[in-house]
């Protein structure tokens, strides 16, 4: 009981800090002080076929790969680093205990967590005593006021943060029962007309991928469209907004929806202990459409890994020999594992 009360007080304090933060530090970056090229090596998998390996999450001796278009299951779990098969989770379907869409997967507190945006549910699995399988522990239904949850992070024992797509805030604070506690923040857009008259459409095009590191209290968000990084330090209440050369998401409004007209931006982000890592694409929708019309579609994914300081300052730009989507960075050992949706070998390793 006491632990629960303390956890609630911590979450309320963090939320209060986020609400009372000063005006965000907004600035632009034009380039990176260092640029390097990296070559990958394939990591062999144990009898697994993926259609769209979107995310790879590695903790200790376990790796989970999220397949957005998995035919039977959304998540495949392997031993790590040998990638021997352990379990298939998140069975595709609309029945009880099944998953309609696998939108993100994370490890936290020894549990594997899967977000289903279509069912508005979070599912939790815990490793069995023998370590040879995972057992489903619970499913949490998200409150109806949380619109189309597409990403999430666990902040503490009792609280999740979910990007807010209603346009009323930047994040939803959600408890472990799926209840909406409050909305915090605002979309850091310079589009005053959209902020005044089209917040839901603006929230759509400002869809962001997020990550949080409880060891340093840093929360990062990168936009799927455009080139914007946001960094919050939940310990000192600072908020930084960094715009790259491509700027904020560009769009037009049609029947109340935001239709992107600019570029594909970031596709994944990880907050490490010493830096922030983000996968960047940079293809314009005009170029994507033109290449499709000419019968030679561009590879899907980003060919760049951007590294920022924990305050959002650009540090290194890595040009990669693959187009990748998701990453799992091991700072201590100096490498990262990435997913490639374009090749038969879906998992690759890069050394810094």
């Amino acid at each position: 009981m006491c632990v629960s009360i303390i956890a609630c007080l911590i979450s309320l304090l963090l939320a209060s800090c986020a609400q009372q933060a000063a005006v965000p530090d907004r600035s632009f970056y034009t380039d990176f002080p260092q640029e390097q090229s990296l070559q990958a090596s394939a990591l062999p998998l144990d009898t697994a076929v993926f259609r769209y390996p979107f995310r790879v999450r590695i903790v200790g001796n376990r790796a989970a790969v999220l397949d957005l278009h998995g035919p039977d299951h959304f998540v495949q779990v392997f031993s790590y680093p040998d990638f021997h098969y352990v379990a298939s989770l998140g069975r595709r379907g609309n029945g009880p205990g099944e998953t309609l869409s696998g939108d993100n997967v994370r490890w936290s507190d020894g549990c594997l967590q899967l977000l289903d945006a279509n069912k508005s549910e979070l599912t939790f699995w815990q490793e069995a005593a023998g370590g040879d399988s995972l057992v489903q522990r619970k499913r949490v239904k998200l409150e109806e006021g949380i619109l189309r949850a597409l990403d999430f992070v666990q902040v503490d024992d009792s609280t999740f943060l979910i990007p807010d797509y209603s346009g009323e805030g930047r994040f939803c604070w959600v408890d472990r029962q799926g209840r909406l506690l409050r909305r915090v923040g605002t979309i850091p857009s310079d589009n005053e007309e959209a902020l005044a008259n089209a917040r839901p459409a603006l929230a759509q095009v400002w869809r962001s991928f997020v990550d949080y590191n409880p060891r340093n209290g840093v929360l990062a968000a990168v936009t799927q469209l455009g080139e914007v990084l946001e960094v919050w330090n939940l310990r000192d209440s600072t908020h930084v907004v960094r715009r790259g050369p491509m700027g904020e998401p560009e769009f037009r409004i049609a029947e109340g929806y935001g239709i992107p007209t600019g570029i594909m931006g970031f596709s994944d982000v990880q907050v490490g202990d010493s830096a922030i890592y983000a996968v960047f694409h940079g293809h314009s929708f005009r170029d994507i459409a033109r290449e499709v019309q000419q019968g030679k579609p561009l590879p899907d994914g980003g060919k760049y890994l951007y590294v920022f300081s924990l305050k959002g300052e650009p540090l290194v730009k890595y040009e990669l020999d693959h187009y990748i989507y998701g990453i799992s960075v091991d700072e201590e050992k100096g490498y990262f594992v990435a997913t490639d949706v374009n090749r038969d070998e879906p998992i690759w390793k890069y050394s810094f």
Side-chain angles (χ1 to χ4, degrees):
M1 181 68 176
C2 181
V3 173
S4 177
I5 292 173
I6 292 173
C8 289
L9 289 173
I10 291 174
S11 66
L12 287 171
L13 176 60
L14 291 175
S16 176
C17 289
Q19 289 174 313
Q20 297 173 9
V23 175
D25 171 15
R26 302 191 184 200
S27 62
F28 290 84
Y29 63 88
T30 56
D31 54 21
F32 287 76
Q34 295 185 53
E35 295 188 12
Q36 299 180 28
S37 298
L38 294 180
Q39 304 289 319
S41 58
L43 294 179
L45 293 183
D46 184 13
T47 62
V49 177
F50 293 96
R51 292 186 177 178
Y52 203 94
F54 185 60
R55 291 283 180 263
V56 55
R57 306 295 191 193
I58 299 173
V59 172
N61 64 350
R62 287 288 180 261
V65 180
L66 172 65
D67 187 352
L68 282 188
H69 305 313
D72 301 309
H73 295 83
F74 286 101
V75 183
Q76 304 292 336
V77 180
F78 302 89
S79 60
Y80 184 79
D82 51 11
F83 273 98
H84 290 315
Y85 172 81
V86 174
S88 298
L89 305 173
R91 177 179 290 278
R92 178 184 287 273
N94 195 24
E98 295 180 327
T99 304
L100 267 180
S101 66
D103 296 278
N104 204 352
V105 64
R106 297 185 183 277
W107 294 101
S108 185
D109 298 331
C111 288
L112 185 66
Q113 306 165 344
L114 175 65
L115 174 64
D116 182 343
N118 285 350
K119 279 191 170 184
S120 294
E121 286 183 344
L122 279 168
T123 304
F124 299 78
W125 290 270
Q126 194 162 26
E127 198 159 325
D132 56 350
S133 63
L134 287 94
V135 179
Q136 182 174 313
R137 292 304 184 195
K138 64 177 179 178
R139 299 174 76 93
V140 174
K141 187 73 174 178
L142 300 178
E143 191 175 299
E144 290 184 3
I146 305 167
L147 300 181
R148 188 67 181 166
L150 294 172
D151 204 349
F152 72 104
V153 289
Q154 183 171 333
V155 176
D156 54 42
D157 291 342
S158 62
T159 315
F160 293 93
L161 272 178
I162 295 175
D164 183 10
Y165 295 105
S166 70
E168 297 178 25
R170 194 70 176 103
F171 287 99
C172 298
W173 286 81
V174 181
D175 67 18
R176 290 185 70 88
Q177 288 70 48
R179 294 174 298 210
L180 175 61
L181 301 176
R182 65 190 63 82
R183 304 180 195 274
V184 296
T186 58
I187 300 169
S189 174
D190 291 334
N191 189 334
E192 295 182 2
E193 181 179 353
L195 282 168
N197 304 308
R199 280 181 176 265
L202 186 67
Q204 292 168 25
V205 298
W206 271 79
R207 177 191 178 180
S208 298
F209 301 109
V210 298
D211 193 41
Y212 175 69
N213 187 335
R215 292 182 296 275
N216 52 31
V218 173
L219 171 72
V222 291
T223 54
Q224 185 181 30
L225 307 174
E227 189 176 351
V228 182
L229 163 72
E230 292 179 78
V231 182
W232 292 261
N233 188 313
L234 299 187
R235 294 180 179 173
D236 63 16
S237 305
T238 55
H239 179 199
V240 174
V241 181
R242 305 287 191 212
R243 287 179 171 81
M246 302 297 183
E248 70 173 83
E250 298 177 7
F251 67 104
R252 60 182 176 84
I253 298 176
E255 298 181 358
Y257 292 95
I259 309 299
T261 58
I263 67 155
M264 285 292 293
F266 297 94
S267 64
D268 200 7
V269 62
Q270 180 176 328
V271 180
D273 291 339
S274 61
I276 297 169
Y277 307 84
V279 179
F280 185 70
H281 295 214
H283 295 308
S284 71
F285 286 98
R286 181 179 300 176
D287 289 344
I288 294 171
R290 184 185 66 246
E291 296 299 314
V292 169
Q293 290 173 354
Q294 294 177 356
K296 47 179 182 180
L298 293 168
D300 199 358
K303 204 173 184 181
Y304 302 96
L305 181 76
Y306 287 178
V307 183
F308 301 90
S309 74
L310 295 177
K311 294 183 178 180
E313 301 155 337
L315 299 177
V316 188
K317 174 182 178 180
Y318 291 105
E319 183 173 355
L320 311 176
D321 62 339
H322 287 251
Y323 288 84
I324 66 171
Y325 243 90
I327 54 171
S328 182
V329 180
D330 190 320
E331 289 181 319
E332 183 178 349
K333 295 180 180 177
Y335 68 80
F336 66 95
V337 175
T339 61
D340 184 340
V341 302
N342 304 287
R343 306 193 184 207
D344 291 336
E345 299 92 349
I347 309 296
W348 295 80
K349 179 180 178 180
Y350 288 89
S351 295
F352 290 115

